Amino acid sequence: MGEIVERRDRSLDLDTFRESVTDSFVPLETSIAPDTDFEGHIHGTSLGQVQVAEVVASAHTVRRTPRTIRASDPGFYKVGLQVRGYCVLTQDDREAALTPGDFAIYDTTRPYQLSFDDRFRMLVMMFPRELLRVPPTGIAELTARRISGRQGMGALVAPFVKDLGERVFDTAPAVAVHLNDAVLDVLAAAFAEQLQITDSLSLESRHTALRVRVGAFIDDHLSDPGLDTTMVAAAHHISVRHLQKIFEADGTPVGGWIRERRLEQCRRDLLDPRLCHLPVAAVGARWGFSDPAHFSRLFKARFGVTAGRYRSAGGALDQPVD
């Protein structure tokens, strides 16, 4: 893969941006409308063989042409998730109009074009074609087709990738590399759903996709005091035993995962000045801890101090207990 360019904190002029685009991805032609001011940046990192890049820039167009393909043809797929702004992706005589939350796949071995008519933010994942466990003939049917981030597997992939984009650049390389397979499995599940071939996915890929779906469900229901292992299993039409097996690889049982996610939300709320008027017990209740004494014990066990002391210290006493 190309060199990953880390220039997140300063804007680049057009010429430098052009070089960064090619260095970060594959050779591309970048152009802007005449008499247009331009600024942008690219920030990227690697998750094993999956490259993740954040692109923020003014209006412009990038093209993968026969000439740039001849210059370098490594055989990658790219998946772009629109986070802010609007994009039109063209490949294989198809056109995908992407709005925030939408994503699409495209193939660097054939010409394509991305047009941005205003300032935007996009997260781009690039990886060798052979790593995506979906038949190439199937992917050829999906290039430049909009996949909505508001329904089906797309509704899980979009927030998963967006959250990845928020966290991955600050994640230690030794940890980030373990996300490689998770990203590929989730994308494979989304594309297989589009092709209606989910039965052909490996058991591992199906488990990963289900794990992401369960995690999203838990995050959406943390405020419900009734959220427990039985509720999660029933919502996904699987047995409690099957659900527990899915979480075994992480070393944390489902109940422990729910508790940890709730405590993390409480920790954040205790530091939020907009919520300073809420009593500590009310903060716990916001995230499903209906028993104040139970919440107090759990918080102190997890963070080493009481919730009240943690709030008054502004988090300075934050010493998580492993």
Side-chain angles (χ1 to χ4, degrees), residues 26 64 69 73-79 89-92 104-112 127 129 136 139-140 143-144:
V26 291
R64 180 77 164 150
I69 292 172
D73 183 14
F76 292 154
Y77 286 136
K78 294 171 75 175
V79 176
L89 165 64
T90 306
Q91 187 171 52
D92 299 327
I105 189 168
Y106 43 113
D107 190 333
T108 66
T109 67
R110 300 192 299 282
Y112 64 80
F127 46 87
R129 289 161 37 117
I139 295 300
T143 51

Side-chain angles (χ1 to χ4, degrees), residues 225 255 259 262-263 280-281 284-285 287-302 307:
R259 182 173 61 252
R262 282 174 166 161
L263 287 171
V280 167
W287 296 107
F289 292 115
S290 55
D291 183 341
H294 181 59
F295 167 56
S296 180
R297 289 192 298 270
L298 289 177
F299 192 95
K300 186 174 182 180
R302 177 64 181 87

Side-chain angles (χ1 to χ4, degrees), residues 23 48 62-63 124 130 141 166 179 233 239 243 271 277 301 309:
D23 289 342
V62 292
R63 296 179 181 88
V124 181
E130 62 271 16
E141 299 176 18
E166 297 292 339
L179 294 171
S239 68
L243 178 64
L271 299 180
H277 64 286
R309 190 178 175 206

Side-chain angles (χ1 to χ4, degrees), residues 247-258:
F247 276 72
E248 281 179 2
D250 295 337
T252 303
V254 181
W257 176 261
I258 294 172

Side-chain angles (χ1 to χ4, degrees), residues 164-208:
L164 182 73
E166 297 292 339
R167 301 169 183 267
V168 71
F169 301 112
D170 300 317
T171 300
V175 176
V177 72
H178 293 292
L179 294 171
N180 180 85
D181 288 342
V183 169
L184 291 169
D185 285 338
V186 170
L187 290 175
F191 297 133
E193 179 185 69
Q194 293 292 311
L195 295 167
Q196 299 182 345
I197 57 169
T198 52
D199 290 344
S200 69
L201 289 177
S202 69
L203 182 61
E204 181 181 1
S205 293
R206 291 200 294 270
H207 275 187
T208 301

